[in-house]
């Protein structure tokens, strides 16, 4: 029978709640023994994924099946032996853990005692509407491509922990991003495989009349009906828009089926549905947001739709823009121009229809809201739209804020770059998601079990300096062994199912040695990220990799965008090194990089490598995740590392001399990279005391953990968004166009 999606404990704290809806999807988890029936509710709220005791509870049901399902509790409960579940329903130890987890879940669904309730009592009735093109909450819901989506997921998780009243708006990509397969020649193949919603916590909603559409959006002359799927991340609901409804034209049913798929025309339609449809769905569900956050230009049409709402209600166009700006936040995520969506003006007007007539302005003035004065030949620029219609604009690191002020200076031609109103809130990562259990257990023993609570001061992280070095090294060795178990089992599975060439098994890291210094490099294969820089001098790298007493090995992972052939060429070049016997099996490439693999890498390698060409990295959060597990980073001085590196928590390449060409700068960086490895990093790793402990190395691990925990968590990031952006909007504070802080 359909489940009722009426406001329940998960909505506690919102005085403006969604109207009761019916779930159009039946529950796919079989009936459980009554005593442990609450496991179904636990599995359907993604907060289990960042709660150690909840994860341990599911693992206890069937540890082998838990790993085989890639930590998916819904599949676990679907496939678990009924006899095993019946035994657990009478097991005193399991029931004690189950009952404790149920108590925790009830607390997790309440706003009482949270940081937001303490900071801003009485403001929960006007939640934050957080729009993003992708959300990376867990690998079982593959509607993310990489950093932007995982950042959005971490933002929502931290908002839940802090009790921030926030609702996420995105798109339901039935085919997700793409599954990566590497041919024997190293070329990336982009396979399309739809995922099954029945093994996810997604629930499809229907309206009070039973219809599956909750809103309509007109695009290219045709009305598209928009449905909604929802999932719960702690206290935070995530609403995903869907057009695959029988009532829609066949061509419109697949509009949002693929993340970043198709050409410019499809991308435009998706963003129009996200922005306009998202606002209309919120209204249909009874939300009255007090703050609106467009996370990247993909969500910029949300701002335009709200201008349209005001003008339809009789508000003058200029006043409508002023009101939208006062309550809106826009975050830009990249200094790479190619990463900013622009569209042909004719395409835009065909997509939206003549909405300017309802706004009471000319077509030219409508289009001018997204026109850059010097770039793109007058194309409709989604970042420009966000900057014009949002009163509070920020980059994602102090360095990126500085770069963005120069990059977008032409939008404020009367100002010097330092006075351009683009601030910065440095990204952070969700600690409870990305810190491994052995590290958290170690901190429990040394700092007490309340070290991760929001009430704990940042000064508590000073206690990390007293962590026992031997215990930290033992925890790291345990995590490294977990990575090696993953390498072996993943290679075994792929060899049986997909691979036809034995060399592919070697390329997957089966010859790597867990006692050897292991460098990890995992991110999107964009050319500016320079995955191939460490291979610039094959002879010099060979001497490092196969040194008799102090060898080094490299694990690489990542995807190139399906349309990025230069990125695919870099990936192919790197992959071929894994097959080269010259390197004696010391280089591995792991296929189909996603959140599940990312956990293993940031926890289990010894050194995290990040080599973006300065100043093209806006933030870069993978190094933060590694640092939360005591893994130091070696990086160029860009993104978060410019403010995060203190000389004790990793290594930094010196800035190339000014005036160099890109090729000359790459050569200088490669030489500096090799020298750091040869003269400092490798000797430090292998310098052991009489007990085999690399004391200086583990001290650097400890400092990496301390700095990341104190300054680069999503908890800190969301608090800054609340204080600097959300609360002024919720309180209707007058907006002041002031220079950015710092």
């Amino acid at each position: 029978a359909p489940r009722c999606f009426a406001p329940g404990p998960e909505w506690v704290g919102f005085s403006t709640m969604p109207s009761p809806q019916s779930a159009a999807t039946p529950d796919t988890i079989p009936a459980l023994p009554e005593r442990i029936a609450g496991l179904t509710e636990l599995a359907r709220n993604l907060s289990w994924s960042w709660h150690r005791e909840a994860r341990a509870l599911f693992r206890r049901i069937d540890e082998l099946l838990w790993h085989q399902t890639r930590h998916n509790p819904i599949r676990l409960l679907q496939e678990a032996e009924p006899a095993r579940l019946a035994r657990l329903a009478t097991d005193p130890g399991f029931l004690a853990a189950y009952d404790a987890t149920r108590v925790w879940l009830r607390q997790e669904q309440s706003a009482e005692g949270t940081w937001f309730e303490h900071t801003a009592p009485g403001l929960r009735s006007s939640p934050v509407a957080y729009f993003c093109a992708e959300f990376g909450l867990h690998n079982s819901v593959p509607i993310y491509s990489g950093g932007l989506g995982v950042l959005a997921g971490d933002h929502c998780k931290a908002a839940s922990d802090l009790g921030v009243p926030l609702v996420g708006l995105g798109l339901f990509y039935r085919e997700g991003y793409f599954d990566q397969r590497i041919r024997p020649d190293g070329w990336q193949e982009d396979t399309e495989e739809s995922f099954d919603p029945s093994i996810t916590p997604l629930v499809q909603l229907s309206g009070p009349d039973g219809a599956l559409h909750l809103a309509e959006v007109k695009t290219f002359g045709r009305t598209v009906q928009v449905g909604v799927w929802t999932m719960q991340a702690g206290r935070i609901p995530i609403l995903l828009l869907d057009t695959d409804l029988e009532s829609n034209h066949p061509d419109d049913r697949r509009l949002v089926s693929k993340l970043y798929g198709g050409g410019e025309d499809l991308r435009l339609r998706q963003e129009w549905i996200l922005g306009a449809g998202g606002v209309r769905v919120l209204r249909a569900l009874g939300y009255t947001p007090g703050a609106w956050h467009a996370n990247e230009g993909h969500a910029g049409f949300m701002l335009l739709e709200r201008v349209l709402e005001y003008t339809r209600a009789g508000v003058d166009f200029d006043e409508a823009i002023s009101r939208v700006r006062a309550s809106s936040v826009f975050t830009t995520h990249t200094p790479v121009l190619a990463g900013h969506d622009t569209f042909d003006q004719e395409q835009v007007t065909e997509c939206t229809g003549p909405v300017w007539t309802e706004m009471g302005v000319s077509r030219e003035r409508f289009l001018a809201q997204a026109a850059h004065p010097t770039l793109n030949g007058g194309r409709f620029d989604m970042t420009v739209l966000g900057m014009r219609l949002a009163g509070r604009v920020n980059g994602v690191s102090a360095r990126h804020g500085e770069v963005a002020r120069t990059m977008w200076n032409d939008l404020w031609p009367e100002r010097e770059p330092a006075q351009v109103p683009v601030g910065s809130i440095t990204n952070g990562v969700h600690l409870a998601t990305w810190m491994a259990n052995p590290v958290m257990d170690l901190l429990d023993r040394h700092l007490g079990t309340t070290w991760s609570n929001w009430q704990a001061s940042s000064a508590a992280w000073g206690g990390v300096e007293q962590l026992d070095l031997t215990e930290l090294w033992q925890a790291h060795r345990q995590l490294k062994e977990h990575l090696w178990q993953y390498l072996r089992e993943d290679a075994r599975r792929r060899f049986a199912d997909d691979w036809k060439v034995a060399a592919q098994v070697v390329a997957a890291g089966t010859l790597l040695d867990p006692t050897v210094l292991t460098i990890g490099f995992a991110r999107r294969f964009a050319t500016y990220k320079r995955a191939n820089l460490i291979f610039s001098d094959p002879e010099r790298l060979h001497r490092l990799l196969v040194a008799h007493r102090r060898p080094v090995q490299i694990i690489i992972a990542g995807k190139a965008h399906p349309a990025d052939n230069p990125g695919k060429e870099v990936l192919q070049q790197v992959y071929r090194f894994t097959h080269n016997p010259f390197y004696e099996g010391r280089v591995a490439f792991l296929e189909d990089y996603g959140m599940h693999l990312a956990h293993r890498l940031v926890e289990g390698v010894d050194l995290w490598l990040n080599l973006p060409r300065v100043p093209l990295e806006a933030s870069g959060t993978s190094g933060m995740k590694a640092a939360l597990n005591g893994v130091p980073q070696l990086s160029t001085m860009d993104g978060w590392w410019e403010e995060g590196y203190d000389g004790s928590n990793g290594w930094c390449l010196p800035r190339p001399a000014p005036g160099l060409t890109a090729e000359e700068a790459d050569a200088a960086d490669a030489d500096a990279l090799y020298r750091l490895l040869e003269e400092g990093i490798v000797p430090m790793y292998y310098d052991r005391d009489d007990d085999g402990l690399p004391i200086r190395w583990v001290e650097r691990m400890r400092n990496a953990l301390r700095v990341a925990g104190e300054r680069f968590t999503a908890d800190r990031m969301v608090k800054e968004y609340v204080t600097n952006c959300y609360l002024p909007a919720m309180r209707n504070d007058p907006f002041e166009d002031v220079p950015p802080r710092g």
Side-chain angles (χ1 to χ4, degrees):
R3 286 172 289 126
C4 178
F5 192 75
E10 64 267 38
W11 300 106
V12 170
F14 290 95
S15 61
T16 302
M17 297 181 294
S19 303
Q21 306 290 318
S22 295
T25 48
D27 201 332
T28 58
I29 298 176
L32 303 177
E34 183 177 357
R35 181 64 178 85
I36 57 173
L39 288 172
T40 296
E41 181 188 11
L42 179 62
R44 291 201 169 279
N45 188 321
L46 284 168
S47 59
W48 68 262
S49 67
W50 67 89
H51 186 255
R52 277 180 283 173
E53 287 74 15
R55 295 196 301 266
L57 188 70
F58 286 123
R59 184 171 60 248
R60 193 167 174 174
I61 293 172
D62 187 328
E63 185 164 4
L64 179 59
L65 184 58
W66 179 243
H67 292 301
Q68 290 174 341
T69 60
R70 297 169 68 89
H71 302 176
N72 183 337
I74 294 177
R75 279 191 61 197
L76 177 79
L77 295 176
Q78 288 172 342
E79 299 177 22
E81 291 288 342
R84 171 62 177 165
L85 294 170
R87 287 196 300 272
L88 290 172
T90 62
D91 182 316
F94 184 85
L95 293 177
Y98 167 81
D99 290 340
T101 305
R102 292 277 289 168
V103 170
W104 161 78
L105 184 60
R106 288 288 171 245
Q107 295 171 342
E108 183 70 9
Q109 294 169 336
S110 169
E112 185 177 351
T114 62
W115 173 83
F116 188 86
E117 191 69 15
H118 175 79
T119 302
L123 283 179
R124 302 196 61 83
S125 61
S126 301
V128 179
Y130 183 83
F131 283 64
C132 191
E134 51 177 300
F135 286 87
L137 290 150
H138 188 256
N139 61 273
S140 62
V141 191
I143 55 169
Y144 62 93
S145 71
L148 176 68
V150 175
L151 185 279
D154 283 6
H155 191 110
C156 291
K157 292 172 183 178
S160 174
D161 293 339
L162 297 168
V164 179
L166 182 145
V167 55
L169 269 294
L171 298 175
F172 177 47
Y173 307 104
R174 290 176 181 269
E175 297 175 4
Y177 191 36
F178 69 90
D179 293 323
Q180 182 191 56
R181 294 292 180 270
I182 307 298
R183 297 190 322 216
D185 67 356
W187 190 255
Q188 171 184 289
E189 292 184 332
D190 315 324
T191 64
E192 296 185 4
E193 296 181 15
S194 299
F195 70 92
D196 182 1
S198 72
I199 60 173
T200 75
L202 290 166
V203 175
Q204 188 177 23
L205 302 185
S206 61
D209 58 356
L212 290 179
H213 72 278
L214 299 181
E216 294 181 344
V217 175
K218 194 167 185 178
T219 177
F220 285 90
R222 195 160 56 220
T223 297
V224 178
Q225 295 185 333
V226 180
V228 178
W229 294 70
T230 185
M231 60 182 170
Q232 200 71 25
R235 300 177 175 94
I236 306 302
I238 311 293
L239 306 177
L240 304 175
L241 312 186
D242 183 24
T243 64
D244 189 12
L245 306 176
E246 291 184 3
S247 54
N248 280 331
H249 187 281
D251 292 343
D252 296 332
R253 294 188 61 171
R254 290 182 53 80
L255 280 180
V256 299
S257 63
K258 191 75 175 173
L259 173 60
Y260 303 151
E264 185 177 291
D265 179 76
L266 178 61
R267 185 75 165 266
L268 172 61
R269 292 175 191 239
Q270 288 184 343
E271 295 185 11
W272 177 238
I273 289 168
L274 172 61
V279 174
R280 295 171 196 182
V281 161
L282 285 176
R283 302 308 189 195
L285 289 172
Y287 283 100
T288 55
W292 301 75
H293 188 167
N295 193 39
E296 188 55 270
H298 315 308
F301 282 125
M302 172 268 285
L303 303 164
L304 202 58
E305 171 68 12
R306 293 180 51 235
V307 172
L308 183 59
E309 279 189 326
Y310 279 119
T311 56
R312 281 173 173 163
V315 177
D316 174 75
F317 181 72
D318 289 331
E319 174 62 20
I321 288 179
S322 178
R323 293 187 188 185
V324 169
R325 282 174 55 79
S327 59
S328 300
V329 182
F330 175 69
T331 300
T332 177
H333 283 267
T334 178
V336 180
L337 274 176
H340 297 266
D341 284 347
T342 67
F343 301 105
D344 178 79
Q345 289 188 352
E346 291 298 327
Q347 274 187 308
V348 172
T349 57
E350 288 182 37
C351 177
T352 66
V355 293
W356 54 87
T357 60
E358 296 181 78
M359 295 178 176
V361 296
S362 66
R363 176 180 180 274
E364 290 69 29
R365 192 171 183 201
F366 164 77
L367 293 171
Q369 303 310 308
H372 193 283
T374 59
L375 296 176
N376 304 320
R379 285 169 64 86
F380 195 94
D381 190 312
M382 298 300 289
T383 300
V384 173
L385 182 69
M387 291 187 169
R388 286 231 170 90
L389 297 187
R392 295 168 178 87
V393 180
N394 68 280
V396 290
S397 69
R399 171 70 166 169
H400 181 221
E402 179 184 343
V403 171
R405 286 190 286 277
T406 299
M407 181 176 179
W408 301 104
N409 197 171
D410 286 351
L411 297 180
W412 291 271
E414 74 285 356
R415 301 189 182 196
E416 294 298 319
Q419 300 300 310
V420 169
V422 177
S424 64
I425 295 178
T426 301
N427 283 343
V429 297
H430 188 244
L431 184 149
T433 294
W434 294 104
M435 183 180 283
N437 284 352
V439 180
M440 297 184 82
D441 293 342
L442 177 62
L443 295 182
D444 284 348
R445 294 195 298 272
H446 284 266
L447 304 182
T449 57
T450 62
W451 61 270
S452 62
N453 292 351
W454 68 260
Q455 294 96 333
S457 68
S458 61
W461 283 95
V464 172
E465 295 179 351
Q466 306 306 315
L467 280 183
D468 183 82
L469 296 179
T470 300
E471 289 188 60
L472 180 56
W473 183 243
Q474 289 172 344
H476 176 65
R477 290 179 65 184
Q478 180 183 352
L479 291 168
K480 201 170 182 182
E481 180 55 37
H482 291 169
L483 171 59
W484 255 253
Q485 291 173 358
Y486 177 90
L487 293 177
R488 290 191 295 267
E489 290 306 312
D490 191 59
R492 188 193 316 277
R493 177 179 61 84
R494 293 183 185 276
F495 182 58
D497 296 342
D498 303 319
W499 292 337
K500 308 305 178 188
V501 179
Q504 290 177 285
V505 180
V506 174
T510 53
L511 298 184
L512 298 182
D513 182 346
T515 67
V516 168
L517 170 60
T518 304
I519 300 172
F521 182 100
R523 52 191 36 83
R524 182 167 56 89
F525 267 75
T527 53
Y528 77 89
K529 294 180 182 286
R530 300 191 297 184
N532 53 350
L533 188 68
I534 196 170
F535 300 99
S536 300
D537 188 332
E539 291 288 345
R540 200 168 177 183
L541 178 61
H542 174 262
R543 290 195 294 272
L544 279 166
L545 296 181
V546 303
H548 179 60
R549 295 186 181 278
R550 300 189 308 194
V552 176
Q553 56 199 14
I554 306 170
I555 299 177
I556 300 171
K559 296 177 178 179
H561 188 283
D564 183 7
N565 281 333
K568 289 183 178 181
E569 289 168 0
V570 172
L571 190 155
Q572 182 179 43
Q573 177 188 4
V574 169
Y575 184 79
R576 286 175 173 170
F577 287 118
T578 68
H579 285 61
N580 192 337
F582 183 61
Y583 296 120
E584 300 182 13
R586 295 288 189 192
V587 183
F589 187 97
L590 306 186
E591 288 187 22
D592 210 25
Y593 183 54
M595 290 183 70
H596 192 69
L597 173 55
H599 277 282
R600 298 292 172 270
L601 289 175
V602 298
E603 295 167 4
V605 300
D606 296 304
L607 176 70
W608 198 255
L609 189 62
N610 186 27
L611 300 170
R613 186 177 288 120
V614 179
L616 300 181
E617 182 78 281
S619 179
T621 57
S622 60
M624 301 175 188
K625 297 162 189 168
L628 283 178
N629 292 287
V631 175
Q633 176 174 255
L634 165 59
S635 176
T636 53
M637 188 63 87
D638 205 7
W640 80 280
W641 199 232
E642 184 172 72
E643 57 198 278
Y645 173 64
D646 68 2
S648 72
N649 59 338
W651 293 268
C652 183
L653 299 186
R655 292 191 190 279
L660 298 181
T661 66
E663 292 75 15
E664 291 169 339
D666 288 352
D669 281 346
D671 179 67
L673 170 64
Y674 290 129
R675 279 190 289 104
L676 270 173
L677 289 168
E678 293 161 346
E679 300 171 10
I681 294 172
V682 176
M684 182 184 292
Y685 182 83
Y686 286 103
D687 180 18
R688 309 294 171 96
D689 68 6
D690 293 340
D691 296 320
L693 182 69
I695 293 176
R696 291 189 300 145
W697 184 273
V698 186
E699 286 176 341
R700 199 155 293 230
M701 290 173 56
R702 189 169 59 184
N703 287 327
L705 173 59
R706 173 184 54 79
V707 172
E710 184 176 356
R711 297 170 52 196
F712 296 101
T713 65
D715 176 282
R716 185 272 311 154
M717 173 186 72
V718 170
K719 285 179 179 178
E720 288 192 24
Y721 273 107
V722 169
T723 302
N724 299 334
C725 302
Y726 299 160
L727 286 183
M730 290 174 165
R731 291 170 174 153
N732 292 313
D733 291 350
F735 171 74
E736 295 182 9
D737 186 2
V738 296
R741 62 182 180 82

